[in-house]
Amino acid sequence: MRKLLIATAAITAIAAPAAAQSISNTYGTLGYSSVQGNDTDLGAVTGRIGARFTPYIGVEGEASFGISDDNIAGIPNSKAELKHDLAAYVTGTIPVSQNFELFGRVGYGTTKVKAEVGGVSASDSEESINWGVGGNYFFDGQNGVRADWTRRDFRDGAGDADVWSVNFVRKF
């Protein structure tokens, strides 16, 4: 699957100049995400870059880095830490009013977590199918806030996680 992500990134880089002519708007976000897994609640700073190819359809890339660790539920002297979370999405947006829009997204990601129990640590990366919904409210047409929920369904039976996020959003 990683080869598929690398191939997709390469095709995107080659096609980006041609696609840039048809992009209706681009945006970036920066904010806080709460990653609620089966036994932990981790915090992360999250950044996104996105572009719409029509007023309704677009893509976005996301990167999160852990800033708040948690104990693993039911295990004394334990700690879990989000190292990073990377994902790419296809988005669908519905304008509700001039300043407010709702969106849905579906994509694929990879998450790396480090766990420590009794002084022994290990880290692991898991891939996930992600989907979610949210909304953007723009104060002046260019700057606003974003709130969203995304479900991460990890492959290989590694469980799932709910990610709640609040961000500053800016259209370019």
Side-chain angles (χ1 to χ4, degrees), residues 83-107:
K83 299 305 275 180
H84 68 262
D85 185 43
L86 306 169
Y89 296 92
V90 173
T91 62
T93 303
I94 299 172
V96 176
S97 71
Q98 184 176 352
N99 293 348
F100 182 63
E101 59 192 19
L102 297 173
F103 63 86
R105 62 190 196 147
V106 63

Side-chain angles (χ1 to χ4, degrees), residues 79-140:
K79 181 174 97 170
E81 173 186 357
L82 176 68
K83 299 305 275 180
H84 68 262
D85 185 43
L86 306 169
Y89 296 92
V90 173
T91 62
T93 303
I94 299 172
V96 176
S97 71
Q98 184 176 352
N99 293 348
F100 182 63
E101 59 192 19
L102 297 173
F103 63 86
R105 62 190 196 147
V106 63
Y108 191 82
T110 182
T111 302
K112 184 173 184 177
V113 176
K114 179 180 176 183
E116 185 176 318
V117 177
V120 177
S121 66
S123 62
D124 191 21
S125 293
E126 292 290 338
E127 281 74 38
S128 61
I129 302 294
N130 306 340
W131 68 92
V133 295
N136 294 317
Y137 180 80
F138 294 95
F139 305 117
D140 59 10

Side-chain angles (χ1 to χ4, degrees), residues 7-94:
T8 302
I11 291 169
T12 302
I14 293 168
Q21 295 175 356
S22 64
I23 295 174
S24 61
N25 73 44
T26 58
Y27 60 91
T29 75
L30 184 63
Y32 179 80
S33 296
S34 174
V35 183
Q36 300 171 353
N38 294 338
D39 297 322
T40 59
D41 186 2
L42 307 174
V45 63
T46 299
R48 297 182 185 95
I49 297 288
R52 289 201 203 138
F53 301 104
T54 75
Y56 309 105
I57 304 296
V59 295
E60 74 180 19
E62 173 181 273
S64 297
F65 299 95
I67 58 172
S68 175
D69 305 338
D70 192 15
N71 293 326
I72 302 169
I75 301 177
N77 300 322
S78 65
K79 181 174 97 170
E81 173 186 357
L82 176 68
K83 299 305 275 180
H84 68 262
D85 185 43
L86 306 169
Y89 296 92
V90 173
T91 62
T93 303
I94 299 172

